């Protein structure tokens, strides 16, 4: 059915974005509401003849009004409150502080993007005076909620510094009274009962990598210590952490990430079953990164289309399990669904507008250098310091937050400034990573890259499923528990 | 391949926006034919070699997308003030100007227009020869 743009009723139609969707139209608006309209209804809608829709479907008519698509029936207080909630992350300040306590690592992963050094390489550990300056710098940031995340290399190779930071940050916070969250990202190879006890006592959540069953995990994630089988060690500790979670009142479920390589293809069920067997309640299907050293992973690479096929296959299996009573979920889907189905935004750094670089997160290298994000820190290992915004010993909070690079990242990730994104139907749910653009094309502005295609395809799939009430109920169950949402992000 | 588009039907913004969507597969050159009936002449050159049939399909897709872009432009222009009002209230708690008509359209404004007098030099507004009451000046600050 053709659209006659001359017949648009300017007084009746509120702002919306749209696209053709399986024979219908999907319309969304600035506060993330969505609605499906049959072509006839879409034409009635833009002509301001919503009474025509009411005659055929009163529920659809109410939906259009309640979701703020009808201009002369807007509830401004509701609209403003929802817009404020959806952009609450803008007032939270720089809350995520990633500390790379060492660049040394005892694994040699096929796709490593962290540019780690060898296990015995000297001069790659953060010393205690630098760690103290890092914590002092973190508390200069005015954000009321602070998350300190330990990354590497393998952070437990420099556990003394991890321990110092945790204790010093907690001590410092007694005066500051911020909401302090601590998180460790580790391959668990150096974890001991004593360290685990310390982490539990200090309420540190633990996240690791699990690439599926042993035959995939151990090919991707090669332990340099011949006495350690990476897969078996990871699974052993995941079980132990789960037991602590269930029996000792430890607040944090174990968490794991999957980096999808072409070795995963054809094994989606096996991988998900492995996660469930390991006591995990979700999986995060992340595509291979093009950051830093990851290009060396060419032999593991694939097209964005192949990734999407794998993603759909996996999500279908997860939904099948949910229909049988499981509550297992996929985290990328969860992030999008949280934006689609609730009045709030999870503030996920890579999927917000503007992105979190500098204004939501910063990364501290082992030597005290500060970067807009961990990916910016990774690039520095290749000699590209474009995303360095200061050093803990020489720069103030003001220097960092007003750094031209922080401003550039902000402008280039604000979807309203990007022609193809500003009009995209998925704009309310999406985000871009200027640093990813930079690594792909040396340009922080880059239209239609693989990430855009992957996000678009995942959202297409989720909206397709949302048209089915059975699946919609599952999705609503996933996002219902906000506490779970925050824990998952 | 050339397409002539009347700007009375297809706003320039819609034309530019549509070209941008096809920028991966087509080289564009735009020119203005400023006759009585103003037209934009869009020259398209596919980046890859295509058959005549494929070129026709590409042109058809371009024309369809142009229509969608025109609709987007109209909806966007007509709701500009409402969106600005919502963003200002939500993010900055800015009180609305009581004389501000949310439902009026900005369509007739040109970028050179200056209804609030922002571009008028201070000297012209309040210079030595202008007798402006102090109260009036303060009310504008």
């Amino acid at each position: 059915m053709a659209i006659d743009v001359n017949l648009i009723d300017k007084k009746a139609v509120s702002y919306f974005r749209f696209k053709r969707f399986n024979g219908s139209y999907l319309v969304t608006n600035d506060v993330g509401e969505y609605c499906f309209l049959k072509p006839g209804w879409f034409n009635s809608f833009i002509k301001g003849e919503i009474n025509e829709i009411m005659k055929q479907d009163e529920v659809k008519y109410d939906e259009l009004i309640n979701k703020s698509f009808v201009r002369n029936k807007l509830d401004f207080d509701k609209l403003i409150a929802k817009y404020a909630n959806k952009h609450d992350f803008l007032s939270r300040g720089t809350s995520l502080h990633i500390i790379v306590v060492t660049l040394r690592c005892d694994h040699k992963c096929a796709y490593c993007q962290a540019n780690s050094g060898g296990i015995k390489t000297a001069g790659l550990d953060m010393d205690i005076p630098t760690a103290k300056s890092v914590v002092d710098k973190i508390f200069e940031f005015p954000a009321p909620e602070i998350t300190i995340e330990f990354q590497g290399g393998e952070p437990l190779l420099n556990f003394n510094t991890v321990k110092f930071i945790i204790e010093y940050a907690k001590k410092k916070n007694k005066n500051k009274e911020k909401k302090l969250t601590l998180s460790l990202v580790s391959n668990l190879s150096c974890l001991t009962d004593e360290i685990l006890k310390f982490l539990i006592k200090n309420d540190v959540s633990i996240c690791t990598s699990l690439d599926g069953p042993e035959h995939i995990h151990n090919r991707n994630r090669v332990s340099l210590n011949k006495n350690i089988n990476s897969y078996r060690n990871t699974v052993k500790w995941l079980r132990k952490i789960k037991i602590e979670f269930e029996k000792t009142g430890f607040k944090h479920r174990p968490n794991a990430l999957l980096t999808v390589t072409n070795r995963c293809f054809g094994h989606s069920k096996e991988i998900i079953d492995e996660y469930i067997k390991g006591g995990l309640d979700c999986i995060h299907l992340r595509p291979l990164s093009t950051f830093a050293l990851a290009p060396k992973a060419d032999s593991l690479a694939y097209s964005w289309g192949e990734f999407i096929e794998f993603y759909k296959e996996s999500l279908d299996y997860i939904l099948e399990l949910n229909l049988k009573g499981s509550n297992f979920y996929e985290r990328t889907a969860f992030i999008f669904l949280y934006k689609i189905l609730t009045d709030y935004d999870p503030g996920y750094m890579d999927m917000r507008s503007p992105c979190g670089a500098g204004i939501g997160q910063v990364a501290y290298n082992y030597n005290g250098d500060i970067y807009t994000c961990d990916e910016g820190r990774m690039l520095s290992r290749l000699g590209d310091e474009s995303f360095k915004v200061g050093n803990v010993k020489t720069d103030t909070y003001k220097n960092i937050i007003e750094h031209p690079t922080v401003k550039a990242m902000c402008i280039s990730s604000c979807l309203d400034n990007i022609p193809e994104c500003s009009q995209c139907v998925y704009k309310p749910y999406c985000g871009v990573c200027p640093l990813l653009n930079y690594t792909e094309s040396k340009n922080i502005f880059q239209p239609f890259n693989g990430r855009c295609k992957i996000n678009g395809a995942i959202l297409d799939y989720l909206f397709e499923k949302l048209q089915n009430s059975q699946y919609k109920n599952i999705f609503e169950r996933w996002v219902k528990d906000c506490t779970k949402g925050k824990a998952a992000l | 391949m050339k397409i002539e588009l009347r700007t009375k039907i297809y706003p320039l913004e819609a034309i530019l926006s549509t070209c941008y969507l096809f920028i991966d597969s087509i080289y564009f050159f735009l020119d203005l034919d400023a006759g009585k009936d103003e037209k934009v002449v869009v020259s398209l050159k596919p980046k890859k070699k295509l058959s005549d049939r494929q070129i026709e399909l590409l042109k058809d897709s371009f024309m369809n997308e142009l229509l969608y872009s025109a609709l987007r432009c109209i909806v966007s222009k007509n709701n500009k003030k409402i969106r600005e009002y919502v963003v200002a209230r939500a993010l900055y708690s800015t009180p609305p100007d009581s004389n501000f008509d949310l439902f009026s359209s900005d369509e007739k404004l040109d970028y050179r227009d200056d209804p609030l007098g922002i571009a008028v030099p201070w000297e012209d507004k309040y210079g030595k020869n202008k007798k402006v009451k102090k109260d009036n000046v303060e009310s504008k600050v």
Side-chain angles (χ1 to χ4, degrees), chain B:
Chain B
M1 178 172 44
K2 282 187 181 178
I3 304 171
E4 289 189 357
L5 300 162
R6 282 194 286 173
T7 52
K8 274 186 187 169
I9 300 172
Y10 300 107
L12 184 59
E13 287 166 43
I15 298 171
L16 291 173
S17 166
T18 311
C19 290
Y20 200 82
L21 287 173
F22 284 80
I23 211 160
D24 268 0
S25 50
I26 298 175
Y27 293 111
F28 287 99
F29 178 74
L30 276 71
D31 201 2
L32 191 69
D33 180 357
K36 188 182 167 189
D37 208 8
E38 192 181 82
K39 289 175 194 163
V40 170
V41 183
V42 183
S43 303
L44 305 89
K45 185 182 161 195
K47 288 185 177 177
K48 285 181 188 168
K49 199 174 179 188
L50 301 175
S51 67
D52 289 350
R53 172 78 188 131
Q54 285 171 319
I55 289 173
E56 269 308 301
L57 281 174
L58 198 62
K59 186 182 166 188
D60 291 345
S61 309
F62 181 85
M63 297 308 288
N64 262 358
E65 199 52 51
L66 189 61
L67 192 63
Y68 285 145
S69 292
L71 173 59
R72 288 185 182 110
C73 279
I74 293 167
V75 172
S76 175
K77 201 173 267 182
N78 205 47
N79 287 284
K80 185 170 176 273
K81 282 187 179 175
I82 292 178
R83 294 176 74 206
E84 284 173 352
Y85 172 80
V86 170
V87 173
R89 286 284 310 276
L91 300 186
Y92 308 108
S93 302
T94 310
D97 181 342
S98 55
N99 295 320
F100 193 65
D101 181 4
L102 274 179
F103 292 96
S104 72
S105 169
D106 280 339
E107 271 179 81
K108 288 174 187 168
L109 279 185
D110 185 72
Y111 73 93
R112 287 162 293 202
D113 293 336
D114 184 23
L116 300 177
I118 291 164
V120 179
W122 190 90
E123 288 80 3
D124 291 354
K125 270 188 189 170
Y126 315 116
K128 281 180 187 171
N129 298 331
K130 304 274 178 187
K131 290 182 179 176
V132 183
K133 284 183 182 175
K134 196 186 170 194
D135 288 352
N136 285 353
V137 175
E138 282 176 349
S139 69
K140 286 176 188 294
V141 173

